[in-house]
Amino acid sequence: MKERLESIKTRYEEIEKELLNPEIVNDFQKVKKLSKEQSDLKEIVDKYEEYLLTEQNLNEAKSLVNDPELKEMAEMEIEESSEKLDLLHHELEILLIPKDENDGKNIIMEIRGAAGGDEANIFAGDLLRMYTYYAEKQGWKIEIDHQVEGTSGGFSQVECTIKGENVYSKLKYESGAHRVQRVPVTETQGRVHTSTATVLVMPEVEDVDIDIKESDLKIDVYHSSGAGGQSVNTANSAVRITHLPTNTVVTCQNERSQLKNKDKAMKLLKIKLYDQMEQAKNKEVGNERKSKIGTGDRSEKIRTYNYPQNRVTDHRIGFSVMSLDRVMNGELDPIIEALITEDLKRKLAGE
């Protein structure tokens, strides 16, 4: 680990010299790239320098331990520096874990009612409300891009964009099948039913290098529907784009302008196609996804919301909380923090 830290420190110092080079200072793109690299390395370098200073203090204290007058003070310093050194070593281990380049990005979230008919659609609506409350608590902004309402409430499908600080880092574990156990409002005999809804979380990607041919697209325009008032329905502003080779469909209806809806739908299409490419790549790599929470399979059952027992269980890490009512009101932090902690633990163990 020390060799790697020395290498990072050397690179950091090289960047500092490069940023003082008159030839580089006038190259905006080069300065931007170097500044970003320097910023990414700074926390590690600062922590490593603190580690080296603590190590130096420990060695100096050890050299004084045989001095009768300084022995007591030296022993105290040895104890304090040893504890601090262990802590810094652990913090450096964490900082050296490769970061997910998508962690700081906004996301596109898709929620669909799955098994269970009307109740599944109602649960999909409950999940959207849960994520909306959670986003509000985080200070994020959520926008509905497209929705297909269920006949008895909720949604058979709803897509939204969530924007804010480090959205993907906290919601990336939400992809998968969510199962609910409760007495549906449509149930007349009070029996508990089990239904599912699926959640898909995709990082928002800018300037994706995907070649999309016009001839591969089928574009439909139609009247918008849903929330937004009467003015939403005055023109054919909603846009649906189908990518024929992959049968990928995206729809956008939240803008009043057809052009804006088309631009946003094309952006959503690129994100979906990029996500499909990444998923295919991950399947080829196979065991490379072992360290991640769960299998990464979007059909994997990840969580159960048990209403009779007021319990939420995340099956990937065997974690339960007896506060389903609070979770559905957006208090997701205990679950998300447990997932992040377990993911970090597995990575540190080299799984």
Side-chain angles (χ1 to χ4, degrees):
M1 187 175 84
K2 209 158 188 177
E3 284 180 11
R4 191 174 166 197
L5 288 165
E6 282 294 337
S7 175
I8 290 171
K9 187 169 181 284
T10 300
R11 177 56 188 153
Y12 185 84
E13 291 165 353
E14 286 173 357
I15 294 170
E16 284 187 322
K17 290 177 184 176
E18 287 184 66
L19 287 171
L20 295 173
N21 186 331
E23 294 179 9
I24 290 175
V25 169
N26 295 322
D27 186 338
F28 175 75
Q29 290 300 325
K30 183 72 172 173
V31 169
K32 185 180 176 182
K33 185 179 178 183
L34 286 171
S35 297
K36 172 70 168 60
E37 186 181 357
Q38 184 186 48
S39 175
D40 290 343
L41 298 178
K42 188 177 188 307
E43 187 179 4
I44 297 174
V45 172
D46 287 348
K47 190 69 67 178
Y48 181 48
E49 287 179 345
E50 187 181 357
Y51 179 91
L52 291 175
L53 181 61
T54 305
E55 190 176 52
Q56 182 182 329
N57 292 340
L58 177 62
N59 291 332
E60 287 175 359
K62 284 179 177 178
S63 69
L64 297 173
V65 79
N66 293 322
D67 187 324
E69 294 182 5
L70 300 174
K71 182 180 179 182
E72 187 176 343
M73 184 182 70
E75 286 176 345
M76 285 176 61
E77 179 64 36
I78 289 170
E79 185 179 352
E80 288 177 10
S81 294
S82 295
E83 289 178 3
K84 188 176 180 182
L85 213 56
D86 288 342
L87 178 63
L88 289 169
H89 187 276
H90 179 66
E91 289 174 348
L92 282 166
E93 279 185 323
I94 293 171
L95 287 173
L96 287 174
I97 292 173
K99 290 182 173 60
D100 187 332
E101 61 181 19
N102 292 319
D103 275 352
K105 293 180 179 177
N106 301 325
I107 67 161
I108 306 298
M109 176 179 279
E110 178 184 283
I111 306 172
R112 292 175 180 261
D118 289 340
E119 167 64 1
N121 294 340
I122 292 168
F123 180 52
D126 292 340
L127 288 176
L128 175 65
R129 187 164 54 253
M130 177 185 77
Y131 291 123
T132 300
Y133 287 151
Y134 181 69
E136 288 171 356
K137 291 175 190 291
Q138 300 297 314
W140 299 337
K141 184 179 179 183
I142 185 165
E143 300 172 357
I144 303 298
D145 299 314
H146 172 59
Q147 61 191 45
V148 180
E149 295 179 359
T151 54
S152 299
F155 304 95
S156 63
Q157 178 185 351
V158 60
E159 292 180 2
C160 59
T161 301
I162 304 179
K163 298 180 179 180
E165 188 176 346
N166 297 319
V167 180
Y168 185 74
S169 70
K170 293 191 174 180
L171 293 181
K172 63 183 176 183
Y173 304 104
E174 296 303 299
S175 287
H178 295 240
R179 183 174 70 170
V180 64
Q181 294 174 326
R182 65 184 177 190
V183 179
V185 292
T186 53
E187 167 62 45
T188 57
Q189 297 180 34
R191 292 174 299 186
V192 173
H193 287 225
T194 298
S195 304
T196 58
T198 59
V199 176
L200 174 60
V201 174
M202 296 169 286
E204 195 175 55
V205 283
E206 300 292 338
D207 303 320
V208 182
D209 187 19
I210 296 179
D211 183 27
I212 300 178
K213 299 175 184 175
E214 282 288 332
S215 58
D216 288 340
L217 301 178
K218 180 176 181 287
I219 301 176
D220 300 303
V221 295
Y222 57 96
H223 289 305
S224 297
S225 61
Q230 290 182 343
S231 60
V232 174
N233 300 308
T234 58
N236 288 333
S237 59
V239 176
R240 178 171 56 243
I241 301 176
T242 305
H243 184 249
L244 299 172
T246 59
N247 198 31
T248 302
V249 181
V250 294
T251 306
C252 191
Q253 62 184 39
N254 67 318
E255 303 287 350
R256 296 189 180 184
S257 158
Q258 183 186 123
L259 183 60
K260 286 183 179 178
N261 277 328
K262 183 180 177 183
D263 287 344
K264 192 160 188 178
M266 279 301 297
K267 183 180 178 182
L268 289 171
L269 178 62
K270 286 186 176 183
I271 290 170
K272 283 199 171 185
L273 292 178
Y274 179 78
D275 183 68
Q276 289 173 17
M277 287 166 54
E278 288 296 296
Q279 291 302 308
K281 195 189 302 180
N282 286 329
K283 281 183 180 177
E284 285 179 19
V285 173
N287 289 337
E288 186 244 349
R289 292 176 68 85
K290 264 188 179 177
S291 68
K292 295 194 175 182
I293 295 292
T295 63
D297 186 343
R298 263 71 189 274
S299 64
E300 176 191 13
K301 182 187 72 178
I302 64 167
R303 196 174 296 152
T304 295
Y305 303 74
N306 185 302
Y307 275 72
Q309 297 178 21
N310 197 37
R311 184 182 67 230
V312 182
T313 300
D314 196 288
H315 303 289
R316 295 164 295 180
I317 58 174
F319 179 83
S320 293
V321 289
M322 306 301 291
S323 55
L324 180 144
D325 51 340
R326 295 201 293 273
V327 169
M328 298 310 292
N329 281 320
E331 293 186 24
L332 272 167
D333 276 331
I335 298 171
I336 288 172
E337 285 170 9
L339 287 161
I340 291 171
T341 300
E342 179 62 22
D343 196 22
L344 186 59
K345 179 182 169 185
R346 293 182 188 185
K347 285 173 179 173
L348 281 171
E351 291 182 16

